[in-house]
Each structure stands twice: as C-alpha cells, then as structure tokens.
Amino acid sequence: MFIGEAPGADEDQQGEPFVGRAGQLLNNMIKAMGLRREDIYIANIIKCRPPGNRTPERDECETCSPFLMRQIATIKPKALVALARSPPRTLLAINAPMSELRGKWYDFRGPSSPLLTIRRSCLRDPRQKKEAWKDLQMVMKDLGLVAPPKSPE
C-alpha cells in the first residue's frame, strides 16, 4: 500500500490518487517491481486538496487519519510505503526530518505491517529515481519480489 500526502489538482479532479505526473512515475516504478497498479492500493493521508496545494497541516492529517486507518485495516497490506513526510509523521506519531525518516523500516502496529518512507520528490524529479529505486528494492526484498528482466528496446 502506497500512502501519499494529499490529492493534487489532477487527483482532485479525477477522484483517484496519483494520476498526474507523479502518478505516471509511480506507475513505472510499480511496473519495475514486477507488479501492476491494480495489485497496489494507493491512498492519501488527507482526502481533499489543501488550498494552494500546500503540505497538509498536522490537524488536517489528524482529522483524516481515522479514515486512512480504516482503509489500512480493511486492506491489510503486507507493507506500507509512505510517499512524503506527512504520512509517517501521522502514522508513527513522530516529528522527524525526512532525512531521518527515509529509507528505514518502521513497525506500524507491529512487525506484520512494516512502513518505509520514500521522498515525495522522487516522484517529481526523475533525477532522484535511483534513490527511490533503492528504497523500493527494500520493499521488494521484504515481500519476496523479484524485478522482471528489462525488455530490450
């Protein structure tokens, strides 16, 4: 299960998470993991777009988190991947900088629901794709996934 911060303009308009530019890159990363988008549940920590597309404030995250918690309880994901700073801060109730959060596993409600944080900028800046791929390889290893061979182009 991937968890972002909040819907952007495209997501708000279409009512589906990660459908804009960042969503296209996420789709490519999911495919590189040997999965399809349909195999993954994608949600946001808050359910509506903040004014000016700003980072969600703590009270907004806390207001929406019960709904996200019900989504997680219903889906029962094998792993959670937080795409930005707000999801791990809310889910783990910690206030740490992204540099400390990124690339580490955390027990979310016990070891059966590990949580890994990836910088959101990895989905906006293709130059950071290598860093995100390292993090996703941690997820693949934890889930026992093997990347499919690259097709010749």
Side-chain angles (χ1 to χ4, degrees), residues 84-119:
R85 182 177 43 196
S86 297
R89 283 183 168 185
T90 301
L91 295 171
L92 300 170
I94 57 175
N95 190 18
M98 195 64 190
S99 59
E100 289 179 25
L101 294 170
R102 194 207 132 252
K104 297 176 190 165
W105 284 111
Y106 296 90
D107 285 344
F108 172 73
R109 296 193 172 166
S112 64
S113 296
L115 182 136
L116 179 78
T117 299
I118 296 177
R119 281 194 173 107

Side-chain angles (χ1 to χ4, degrees), residues 52-91:
N53 205 30
R54 63 168 165 67
T55 300
E57 295 176 2
R58 187 164 210 81
D59 66 328
E60 293 169 322
C61 293
E62 289 171 2
T63 298
C64 292
S65 67
F67 184 74
L68 178 63
M69 296 301 187
R70 286 192 299 274
Q71 286 177 291
I72 294 169
T74 300
I75 300 301
K76 296 179 180 67
K78 294 176 185 170
L80 299 163
V81 179
L83 301 167
R85 182 177 43 196
S86 297
R89 283 183 168 185
T90 301
L91 295 171

